[in-house]
Amino acid sequence: MKLVGIVGSNADISYNRTLLNYMAKEFKSLVEIEVLEIKDIPLFNQSDDQTMSEPIQKLSKKIEAADGVIIATPEHNRSIPAALKSVLEWLSFKIHPLEDKPVMIVGASYYGQGSSRAQLDLRQILDAPGVNAMVLPGNEFLLGKVKEAFDSSGNLKDIKTKEFLEKSLKKFIQFVSLVTKLEEKEKVELPKEDLHATGKIKTTIEDVAMDADDWVEQASKKVDAVEGDTYVKLNRGILTVNQLNYFLSSMPMELTYADDNNQFLYYNHVSEAEDMLASRTPAQVGNPLANCHPEAALKGVEWVVQQLRSGQTDCVRVNVPTHGPDKYVVHNYQAIHDDEGNYAGINEYILDFKPIIDWYLKQTGQTLVGDVDAVTSASKKDEEVDATTSASVKS
């Protein structure tokens, strides 16, 4: 069995690196552990996609080839370091090497609690859609007062600490073996998605070019689509087409509908593309999904569709922090089903949550815990902070 250990710090001197190196040396008779660094991984920026860069691809391939992963995290401002969070963003953006991968969390800090809050934070991140790692439950290894824990050769001094670490590692090895057996038995190869919509379903409007700028007008004429004040009977109501448009346009979010043939059919056109959270243009409607995304994004698009179509999840959510500190923007991809429960496409709804959060806080008189920065989620006041790195000097 081969494991990889990820040093959760980009610092030149890290006790979490020391911990992983000790595990690789001390327990080599149990398992092979290759220690990996994150110092060369660039800061996550979805506007500057570096998914295919050598450092990210190298790390991703090492994780994919391993039977399991050990992550050693320090604690910075009650959370994991920014460098580790950035790495996990890359590993859940367009590539997903941690999906269904067994992961063990360990950590060391200067204080007695031994990175407990950072480990809790890391567990939540690893469980998020797009990451979907399989984290070893329980068995928390929290190495506190780390300055006193190692001797000059990098070995743990306390025999009970060593024994507990060995016991935890053995449980993780058993966990990896169990997960591997389950995957071998139950792993389903999801079919490729036809993002170019070359197929046909019962609602496909034929003999109209999907990439035509006036697809809506041509397709409407082809099927004699109703409009204006014509009434439409819905499953629990009757509205005119105009009322439906008013209703959908009043939604405080951007809505997009793509059918189960991966054809983009609709968006609630309430503002111009440059003013939208996710740019849409009238000429895009009718296009296959492949025409609505850059080539580099298609693998990620396919992954989302596969998860929803297969029923692996009913909703994929992606936080998009690049809109600035005055917005909390989340892209939600919700599976649509017909009356029989069959997959019928995707409802993508994009919402800035900040006005709702601000209203709720004002109504209740509550505040966000720890004076949280809306972009980085780094605590501003909890501890003495290094002005350059925002990492706690004490952690």
Side-chain angles (χ1 to χ4, degrees):
M1 182 180 294
K2 180 175 181 179
L3 308 178
V4 293
I6 298 177
V7 180
S9 171
N10 59 1
D12 290 335
I13 299 175
S14 168
Y15 283 108
N16 284 277
R17 181 183 296 111
T18 303
L19 175 59
L20 284 177
N21 285 331
Y22 169 77
M23 292 176 69
K25 175 183 65 175
E26 184 67 23
F27 305 120
K28 61 183 178 181
S29 61
L30 296 176
V31 68
E32 179 184 352
I33 302 175
E34 180 182 2
V35 178
L36 305 177
E37 298 284 351
I38 64 171
K39 293 191 290 186
D40 296 330
I41 305 296
L43 181 67
F44 177 75
N45 181 356
Q46 69 175 21
S47 299
D48 181 19
D49 185 6
Q50 298 187 51
T51 306
M52 301 309 294
S53 66
E54 192 275 336
I56 295 174
Q57 282 295 306
K58 181 179 179 182
L59 179 61
S60 176
K61 289 175 181 177
K62 290 280 189 181
I63 293 171
E64 288 177 347
D67 297 301
V69 177
I70 304 172
I71 301 178
T73 181
E75 184 165 302
H76 289 182
N77 300 339
R78 299 184 176 178
S79 181
I80 64 173
L84 178 57
K85 179 63 164 62
S86 178
V87 169
L88 295 172
E89 293 281 4
W90 283 122
L91 297 180
S92 57
F93 179 44
K94 293 182 178 177
I95 52 176
H96 307 275
L98 287 168
E99 184 175 0
D100 295 330
K101 185 71 67 174
V103 177
M104 176 184 184
I105 300 173
V106 298
S109 80
Y110 294 170
Y111 296 105
Q113 74 271 17
S115 77
S116 59
R117 291 168 296 188
Q119 291 197 30
L120 178 61
D121 181 40
L122 182 54
R123 284 179 181 273
Q124 293 177 319
I125 293 170
L126 291 171
D127 189 46
V131 186
N132 291 322
M134 300 186 71
V135 183
L136 175 69
N139 298 285
E140 295 177 323
F141 183 79
L142 308 169
L143 185 60
K145 299 181 180 179
V146 69
K147 283 187 175 182
E148 306 164 16
F150 292 99
D151 62 23
S152 59
S153 299
N155 298 312
L156 286 173
K157 296 178 184 178
D158 184 68
I159 186 65
K160 290 185 178 180
T161 302
K162 176 192 169 184
E163 288 174 350
F164 180 73
L165 178 58
E166 182 176 1
K167 181 179 178 181
S168 298
L169 181 59
K170 285 180 176 178
K171 287 185 177 180
F172 182 58
I173 293 170
Q174 293 176 338
F175 181 68
V176 172
S177 298
L178 178 61
V179 170
T180 302
K181 288 179 181 178
L182 288 174
E183 285 185 342
E184 288 174 353
K185 185 177 181 180
E186 300 180 5
K187 187 174 182 181
V188 176
E189 187 71 28
L190 297 178
K192 298 285 289 183
E193 284 292 332
D194 177 17
L195 298 181
H196 294 277
T198 58
K200 183 176 69 173
I201 57 176
K202 62 183 180 181
T203 53
T204 299
I205 300 174
E206 299 185 71
D207 301 323
V208 179
M210 289 184 178
D211 59 355
D213 288 350
D214 61 343
W215 180 87
V216 172
E217 289 72 25
Q218 288 192 51
S220 298
K221 185 176 180 180
K222 179 78 176 177
V223 299
D224 295 323
V226 297
E227 59 181 325
D229 291 325
T230 303
Y231 284 97
V232 177
K233 182 181 178 182
L234 303 170
N235 63 356
R236 207 68 213 136
I238 299 175
L239 298 174
T240 68
V241 177
N242 282 337
Q243 287 175 323
L244 277 171
N245 277 321
Y246 305 153
F247 179 65
L248 292 168
S249 296
S250 72
M251 296 291 180
M253 63 189 74
E254 295 173 8
L255 300 170
T256 299
Y257 189 124
D259 68 11
D260 60 322
N261 194 39
N262 294 327
Q263 185 180 9
F264 174 23
L265 296 183
Y266 169 84
Y267 74 101
N268 58 339
H269 187 198
V270 295
S271 57
E272 297 306 311
E274 59 270 19
D275 298 321
M276 298 180 70
L277 298 172
S279 176
R280 306 278 188 264
T281 64
Q284 287 179 316
V285 179
N287 274 249
L289 288 181
N291 291 13
C292 303
H293 299 85
E295 185 70 28
L298 293 185
K299 184 176 180 182
V301 174
E302 180 180 38
W303 180 86
V304 170
V305 179
Q306 286 176 324
Q307 301 308 301
L308 299 178
R309 187 190 298 276
S310 66
Q312 299 290 315
T313 182
D314 272 339
C315 186
V316 175
R317 293 186 176 92
V318 181
N319 174 40
V320 181
T322 55
H323 294 284
D326 61 329
K327 291 181 173 66
Y328 304 152
V329 177
V330 177
H331 289 227
N332 303 267
Y333 303 89
Q334 179 74 46
I336 299 173
H337 298 93
D338 63 19
D339 291 338
E340 284 72 46
N342 300 309
Y343 176 77
I346 298 175
N347 169 15
E348 179 186 1
Y349 58 100
I350 302 168
L351 180 63
D352 175 14
F353 282 92
K354 190 172 189 301
I356 299 173
I357 294 172
D358 289 345
W359 175 86
Y360 177 80
L361 294 176
K362 184 177 180 180
Q363 290 291 311
T364 62
Q366 298 183 55
T367 58
L368 294 178
V369 176
D371 192 15
V372 175
D373 182 298
V375 177
T376 65
S377 295
S379 171
K380 295 178 181 176
K381 295 181 178 178
D382 288 344
E383 296 174 342
E384 180 183 355
V385 172
D386 182 302
T388 303
T389 65
S390 294
S392 169
V393 175
K394 300 177 181 177
S395 60

